[in-house]
């Protein structure tokens, strides 16, 4: 018979984030850090098997995987009974059971224009939500979509309670109330996030033990790499993966842990993240935007001036691989044979600018074809890592005589400006929300401007192909369209694809049960800690 154990309050997992959170209302965030916390607090209908590779969908709060009918247009799910939201004043002393109506409400919030959700695009294919009874949710789609199950497993698809959203109003992002394994205990914005095991969490067993095993998670915001590294060395943190720039301090050239750390019982888990790093141009910007030949030439020249190999060698310390395709390895639709047509070539970049009228002035810097000053405004955060990107970008633009202005702001503020299409140029990252190429190719779909399309790019040719891919399963026909779309991106030079990072996860000897999942970001539910006797 399975033996149940309550979470041990003395077992507190201590980790860091390298950038500040933006809040914990699922419909209002798009950053990795906030999403990671949300994943631990809220429950989607579906999730992924923690150990299965490749990633495999399994029921979470649903009784089973969805019944798909009407040629892929209708998804029907049953919510398991006996699942309750964490106790909260919003419920006025009553226990609040999770229902199908909670998922209908939560999905509907993504589609409500007043929420300006950066992930609304995931749900725009929904024609109607139905709750024929308390436990049944029926989702009717506008078009067939046999991959919609991945959306239902997405970490931000967890159920919120209408009472909690209405009770807290604008404070809801700081007062999350979910049915997941953890709940928010305390929160100091941009500094410290403390979660505790949800005492009312339903029975979830692994190896006969009730999950979660740990009593909580303490997350400290540390923007500087050196600070995170020192904290881990002192034993102040249990896990650390955001140490790319100093990997040589703990890792050999062959990618193994150095003996002095292995002898202390520290472990290294290594994998390539299903992500792309790229820098984008705001296609609505009056200096770099638009699809005229001279604007395309300007963007192409800037992209050709940038040496990605230096980013990998100097900034990443060799801890990344070159990205050629918009869909990364390990994600359905990736093309390992595809090679970018945008090469590092300052000589050709200079000739291109000369040809299209970006002439150099007496100061050695170029001007716009109409004689106005040409200044490229590049946005980044005030961290040591981003200072290295600033320097590399300046060297690159100096090589083609283009003046660079660095705009500094904190990560949450840059995200707000980005979603308003108000940044000219920025380096960005996208890690898989689900293991399918659609999650990456939607990043340049026109209607997603102001959401995930941070380049604010609208191309009829790209959009036409993207809409066709949404009706196709993974396979040769969809992949052919993806390749055409990748070349359109390059022709218009909306992005310069850079790299995908190795995830080098350092684990203290006391951490047990960690396995890096390709899609799930929150392994906390499955972890245990060995404490001194």
């Amino acid at each position: 018979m399975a033996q149940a154990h309550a979470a041990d309050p003395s077992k507190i997992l201590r980790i860091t984030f390298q950038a500040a959170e933006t809040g914990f209302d699922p419909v209002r965030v798009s950053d990795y850090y906030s999403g990671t916390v949300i994943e631990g607090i809220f429950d989607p209908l579906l999730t992924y098997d923690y150990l299965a590779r490749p990633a495999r969908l399994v029921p979470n709060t649903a009784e089973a995987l969805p019944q798909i009918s009407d040629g892929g247009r209708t998804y029907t799910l049953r919510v398991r009974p006996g699942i309750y939201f964490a106790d909260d004043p919003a419920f006025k002393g009553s226990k609040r059971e999770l229902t199908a109506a909670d998922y209908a409400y939560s999905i509907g919030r993504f589609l409500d224009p007043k929420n300006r959700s950066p992930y609304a695009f995931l749900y725009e294919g929904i024609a109607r939500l139905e709750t024929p009874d308390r436990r049944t949710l029926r989702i009717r789609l506008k078009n067939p979509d046999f991959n919609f199950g991945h959306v239902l497993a997405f970490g931000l698809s967890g159920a919120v309670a209408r009472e909690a959203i209405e009770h807290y109003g604008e404070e809801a992002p700081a007062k999350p109330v979910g049915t997941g394994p953890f709940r928010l205990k305390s929160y100091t914005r941009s500094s410290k996030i403390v979660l505790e095991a949800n005492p009312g969490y339903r029975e979830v067993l692994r190896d006969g033990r009730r999950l979660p095993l740990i009593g909580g998670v303490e997350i400290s915001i540390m923007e500087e790499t050196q600070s995170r590294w020192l904290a881990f060395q002192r034993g102040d943190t249990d896990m650390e993966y955001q140490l790319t720039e100093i990997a040589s301090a703990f890792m050999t050239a062959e990618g193994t842990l150095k003996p002095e750390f292995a002898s202390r019982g520290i472990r290294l888990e290594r994998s390539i993240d299903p992500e792309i790093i790229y820098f984008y141009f705001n296609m609505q910007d009056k200096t770099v935007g638009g699809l005229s030949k001279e604007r395309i030439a300007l963007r192409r020249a800037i992209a050709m001036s940038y040496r990605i190999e230096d980013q990998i060698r100097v900034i990443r310390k060799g801890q990344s691989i070159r990205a050629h395709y918009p869909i990364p390895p390990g994600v359905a639709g990736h093309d390992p044979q595809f090679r970018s047509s945008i090469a590092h070539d300052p000589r050709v970049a200079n000739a291109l600018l000369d040809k299209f009228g970006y002439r150099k002035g007496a100061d050695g810097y170029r001007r716009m074809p109409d004689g106005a000053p040409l200044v490229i405004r590049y946005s980044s955060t005030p961290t040591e890592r981003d200072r290295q990107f600033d320097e590399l970008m300046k060297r690159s633009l100096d090589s083609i005589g283009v003046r660079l202005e660095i705009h500094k702001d904190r990560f949450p503020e840059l995200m707000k400006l980005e979603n308003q299409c108000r940044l000219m140029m920025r380096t960005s990252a996208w890690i898989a929300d689900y293991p399918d190429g659609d999650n990456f190719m939607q990043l340049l779909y026109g209607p997603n401007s102001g959401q995930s399309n941070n380049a604010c790019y609208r191309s009829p040719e790209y959009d036409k192909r993207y809409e066709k891919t949404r009706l196709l399963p993974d396979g040769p026909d969809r992949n052919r369209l993806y390749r055409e779309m990748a070349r359109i991106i390059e022709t218009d030079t909306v992005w310069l694809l850079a790299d995908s990072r190795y995830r080098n996860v350092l684990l203290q000897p006391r951490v047990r049960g960690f396995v890096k999942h390709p899609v799930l970001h929150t392994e906390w539910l499955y972890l245990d800690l060995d404490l001194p006797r």
Side-chain angles (χ1 to χ4, degrees), residues 412-469:
E413 301 309 313
L414 291 179
M415 294 291 291
K416 289 177 187 176
L417 293 169
E418 183 173 271
N419 288 336
Q420 296 166 8
C421 299
R422 291 173 58 192
L423 300 181
M424 183 186 290
M425 184 175 151
R426 180 175 174 240
T427 298
S428 191
W430 189 269
I431 190 165
D433 300 310
Y434 50 91
D436 187 79
D438 177 75
N439 189 227
F440 290 85
M441 301 309 279
Q442 59 81 21
L443 292 172
L444 287 167
Y445 181 50
N448 292 349
S449 295
Q451 301 178 45
S452 57
N453 180 351
N454 47 25
C456 303
Y457 174 60
R458 292 182 179 272
S459 161
E461 290 302 311
Y462 186 94
D463 291 353
K464 178 175 65 177
R465 288 167 174 81
Y466 176 74
E467 287 162 2
K468 288 181 180 178
T469 68

Side-chain angles (χ1 to χ4, degrees), residues 323-338:
H324 285 274
Y325 202 59
I327 303 169
V331 174
H334 173 68
D335 184 349
Q337 306 303 319
F338 190 95

Side-chain angles (χ1 to χ4, degrees), residues 9-121:
S10 66
K11 294 180 176 180
I12 305 299
L13 182 74
R14 296 162 299 173
I15 64 173
T16 67
F17 285 168
Q18 70 172 1
E21 78 299 332
T22 57
F24 311 122
D25 182 346
V27 305
R28 298 191 181 187
V29 307
S30 61
D31 64 287
Y32 171 85
Y33 307 100
S34 302
T36 297
V37 176
I38 287 169
E39 199 174 285
I41 293 175
F42 296 95
D43 262 326
L45 283 156
L46 307 180
T47 187
Y48 292 92
D49 185 306
Y50 183 52
L51 298 176
R53 302 294 184 273
R56 179 166 64 88
L57 282 170
V58 294
N60 187 36
T61 59
E63 289 183 337
L65 291 175
Q67 295 179 340
I68 305 174
S69 57
D70 190 24
R73 288 183 175 85
T74 301
Y75 281 64
T76 304
L77 303 102
R78 294 271 292 169
V79 178
R80 290 169 51 192
I83 298 175
Y84 294 89
F85 284 93
D87 292 341
D88 191 86
F91 305 129
K92 300 178 180 178
S94 299
K95 283 181 69 68
R96 172 64 159 78
E97 189 175 15
L98 177 70
T99 69
D102 293 317
Y103 284 104
Y105 171 71
S106 302
I107 292 171
R109 293 185 70 233
F110 282 93
L111 297 170
D112 187 340
K114 75 178 183 185
N115 289 324
R116 298 178 58 86
S117 175
Y119 272 105
F121 67 90

Side-chain angles (χ1 to χ4, degrees), residues 126 137 147 167 220 255 302 351 441 477 505:
I126 296 174
L137 175 68
N147 293 314
H167 179 77
S220 300
I302 292 171
M441 301 309 279
D477 290 342
V505 183

